[in-house]
Amino acid sequence: MASTEPALLQAKQKLAERFEMKDFGELHFLLGMAIKRNSDSLSINQQPFIKQILSKFGMESCNPVSTPAGTDEKLLKSDGSKSVDAKLYQSIVGSLLYLAVGTRPDIAHSVGVLSKFNSCPTVTHLTAAKRVF
């Protein structure tokens, strides 16, 4: 889709009449999402953000797994394991939630389950969160 299409130019002109704006050209990156557009397709991914959070949480060299959660794993509020830093856990879960909402619906259920333990996370919960990475 070329930016010289009449309908697009007309829309930009109408917006410019009402709002102060600048046209920076074709969009390539927005809110942590890389955007690629061809003549007949649009693709969105969060690879830069994924690399950033893997680095932030020291998970750059983590091993891949086939599922974001263990198939026989049942997380409990009080599982007997040691408590971990709640802010660290919440930061991990928040980052994963942003991915799930943006471009990774395949991890949404696992992240939703992990978010239940934001107030009192344990080592077991943190390990489960790291598995999603």
Side-chain angles (χ1 to χ4, degrees):
M1 179 188 267
S3 62
T4 57
E5 288 186 22
L8 183 57
L9 284 175
Q10 192 174 39
K12 287 179 182 180
Q13 287 172 345
K14 292 275 188 195
L15 287 168
E17 289 171 10
R18 178 144 171 119
F19 304 102
E20 184 180 327
M21 61 179 261
K22 293 180 183 178
D23 184 357
F24 292 110
E26 185 135 354
L27 182 64
H28 298 286
F29 196 78
L30 178 70
L31 300 174
M33 295 182 210
I35 301 164
K36 293 180 184 172
R37 188 169 75 166
N38 297 330
S39 60
D40 61 344
S41 68
L42 177 72
S43 68
I44 301 173
N45 72 64
Q46 289 180 286
Q47 263 186 315
F49 181 70
I50 291 170
K51 288 179 181 180
Q52 177 187 352
I53 62 172
L54 286 174
S55 176
K56 178 180 178 180
F57 299 115
M59 298 293 295
E60 305 98 313
S61 59
C62 60
N63 296 320
V65 292
S66 58
T67 60
T71 54
D72 58 349
E73 186 175 49
K74 176 79 172 156
L75 297 176
L76 304 170
K77 185 174 183 175
S78 300
D79 59 11
S81 65
K82 186 178 174 185
S83 293
V84 295
D85 180 19
K87 287 189 179 193
L88 170 67
Y89 181 81
Q90 292 163 358
S91 184
I92 289 172
V93 172
S95 296
L96 292 171
L97 182 60
Y98 185 69
L99 285 173
V101 169
T103 58
R104 295 297 309 267
D106 57 321
I107 65 171
H109 177 73
S110 297
V111 176
V113 170
L114 292 170
S115 68
K116 294 178 183 180
F117 308 103
N118 274 336
S119 61
C120 54
T122 66
V123 171
T124 305
H125 303 133
L126 183 59
T127 302
K130 287 182 177 182
R131 179 186 171 99
V132 178
F133 282 131

